[in-house]
Amino acid sequence: MEPDLWQLYKHMYRSRLFEQVVQAIWEQGLISGEMHIGFGEEAIAAGIVCQLKEGDAMALDHRGTPPLLMRGIEPTLLLREFLGRPDGLCGGMGGHMHLFSSEHLSASSGIVGSSGPAGAGFALAAQHLRPGTLAIAFFGEGATNQGMLLESMNLAVAWQLPLIFVCKDDQWSITTRSASVTGGQLVERAKGFGLHAVEVDGTDVEAVWRSAGEAMERARDGGGPTFLLAHCVHIEGHFLGFTLFRAGRDPIKEMVPLIGPLLRSATKWKGGSSQEKMRSLTDIATRARDALQEQTLKEKDPLVRARQKLISDRDRLEALETEVSREIQDVKEAALKD
Ligand SMILES: Cc1ncc(C[n+]2csc(CCOP(=O)(O)OP(=O)(O)O)c2C)c(N)n1
């Protein structure tokens, strides 16, 4: 079977527009706390979630919005939840990170790495209660250094669980370069556990669809778990208002108030040597520049990539986008209504 790019693009576009509404509402100060957005991960979510069947489960991380939407959760319920309203998906107690839907067999958590054990639990239940179904565990590459995730990989192989570990690799864990705290190669690490491991361009929705499809077939047929390493970018950085982006986007506004404290700390006799302090300052500036440069590359935007392939049928594309925009506008109005 071949992927239906129109269907995949619709899911991705819907997710992007929904999260743009979330971004606007967050910027108005109506959503409290940090907000982790899935801009840039949409192809990974769409390529996988669109192939799930009834009885399949999902364990999600702190960027669960795209998969939850694509799985069919009512967007108004989701937005009300983010607003902390009692009529939200989880009574307004979960925010955007700690969500649960028994109907959709989906659970998210902000504890980095916890989708490993949660996914293994879902997969164990699938194996015993619903043969032929499977579970997906979504997490970032930063989570691959968490013990609980590695323990789940081990058990998933030992028990041949129908589980797909999906590592969304944007190379950053907040402001830390993941490579600077990670030994070896992730695919090789997964193979070391005996996992079937595959690498894919996570900005190419059709490629994700194909790799995920093969992994799902294996899992449903009793072939056991797979580790899927999908490379992506986070177009809005770690969270909305990400410090490194702010510094890179508007250095004068953001850096001027920091110059005094930074210079004072660099010239203090306490702490590291002045050379070490200068190295740290340069390091921060380099990270801000790298983060911004990487994330603004249009060719890494999965929506831009998919849209380019559909643009020859402009009328159909515009009709699709108009329909989705209307839906999301209605969702926004419904969620904000008293
Ligand atoms: C157990 C635990 N440690 C630390 C944190 C703080 N924290 C939140 S997100 C994050 C980075 C996660 O990076 P990654 O897994 O690559 O996901 P990304 O944010 O890049 O999608 C950290 C360290 C946490 N939430 N949970």
Side-chain angles (χ1 to χ4, degrees):
M1 224 168 80
E2 279 303 296
D4 176 351
L5 189 57
W6 286 98
Q7 183 214 21
L8 294 168
Y9 179 71
K10 187 171 180 181
H11 277 290
M12 291 162 66
Y13 187 67
R14 188 168 174 266
S15 172
R16 178 70 60 92
L17 286 198
F18 179 82
E19 290 201 296
Q20 281 173 352
V21 166
V22 171
Q23 178 174 27
I25 294 178
W26 184 86
E27 281 165 0
Q28 284 171 43
L30 298 176
I31 296 175
S32 57
E34 293 172 354
M35 176 52 73
H36 304 88
I37 288 285
F39 293 165
E41 290 191 355
E42 294 96 338
I44 305 175
I48 293 167
V49 179
C50 292
Q51 300 189 69
L52 294 181
K53 297 187 177 162
E54 200 179 330
D56 292 341
M58 301 193 303
L60 309 161
D61 63 3
H62 51 290
R63 277 180 223 284
T65 306
L68 287 171
L69 270 180
M70 293 175 191
R71 191 69 177 119
I73 297 220
E74 172 56 50
T76 312
L77 284 182
L78 215 48
L79 196 49
R80 286 190 185 139
E81 181 63 33
F82 297 178
L83 287 157
R85 290 176 51 143
D87 52 358
L89 180 69
C90 299
M93 305 298 281
H96 75 285
M97 279 193 276
H98 299 102
L99 298 170
F100 179 66
S101 167
S102 54
E103 186 194 341
H104 299 88
L105 286 175
S106 299
S108 68
S109 168
I111 307 295
V112 170
S114 65
S115 56
F122 272 135
L124 187 63
Q127 192 177 54
H128 287 272
L129 306 175
R130 301 181 300 279
T133 65
L134 52 78
I136 311 284
F138 285 100
F139 50 88
E141 81 296 340
T144 57
N145 293 324
Q146 279 286 351
M148 61 181 145
L149 182 66
L150 302 176
E151 291 171 37
S152 328
M153 289 182 177
N154 173 55
L155 273 188
V157 175
W159 295 347
Q160 284 295 284
L161 296 178
L163 176 58
I164 301 167
F165 293 96
V166 180
C167 179
K168 303 165 293 164
D169 183 6
D170 77 327
Q171 302 183 26
W172 290 90
S173 294
I174 314 185
T175 49
T176 300
R177 277 280 190 204
S178 295
S180 70
V181 290
T182 304
Q185 300 300 320
L186 292 180
V187 163
E188 296 309 315
R189 188 189 286 192
K191 284 182 183 166
F193 283 105
L195 272 164
H196 178 64
V198 194
E199 197 164 358
V200 69
D201 178 351
T203 65
D204 178 347
V205 69
E206 292 173 297
V208 175
W209 190 93
R210 288 195 182 91
S211 300
E214 281 167 25
M216 286 182 191
E217 212 173 298
R218 277 173 68 89
R220 292 193 200 286
D221 291 349
T226 295
F227 177 80
L228 188 63
L229 177 62
H231 301 284
C232 66
V233 285
H234 285 145
I235 293 166
E236 263 309 309
H238 180 71
F239 41 44
L240 292 180
F242 187 40
T243 335
L244 284 185
F245 275 24
R246 288 213 315 269
R249 277 176 182 160
D250 196 346
I252 297 179
K253 178 167 171 246
E254 298 295 336
M255 292 311 289
V256 166
L258 296 179
I259 286 172
L262 282 173
L263 281 180
R264 269 199 301 283
S265 100
T267 49
K268 241 187 191 155
W269 64 271
K270 274 186 177 171
S273 67
S274 48
Q275 265 173 334
E276 280 170 327
K277 285 172 182 160
M278 284 320 290
R279 252 203 313 272
S280 300
L281 287 179
T282 316
D283 186 38
I284 292 168
T286 313
R287 275 170 210 237
R289 188 204 58 205
D290 288 356
L292 198 58
Q293 269 176 1
E294 277 170 35
Q295 266 77 353
T296 47
L297 289 175
K298 279 269 177 256
E299 63 266 27
K300 290 195 172 179
D301 184 333
L303 270 91
V304 172
R305 291 193 64 175
R307 197 174 192 277
Q308 264 160 6
K309 294 189 186 167
L310 302 174
I311 196 81
S312 55
D313 194 344
R314 190 175 283 278
D315 289 348
R316 185 173 173 188
L317 188 59
E318 283 176 4
L320 178 155
E321 291 179 347
T322 306
E323 181 200 331
V324 173
S325 304
R326 285 208 185 107
E327 188 216 350
I328 298 301
Q329 189 54 36
D330 290 348
V331 165
K332 181 183 173 186
E333 282 162 23
L336 289 171
K337 216 161 60 198
D338 290 337

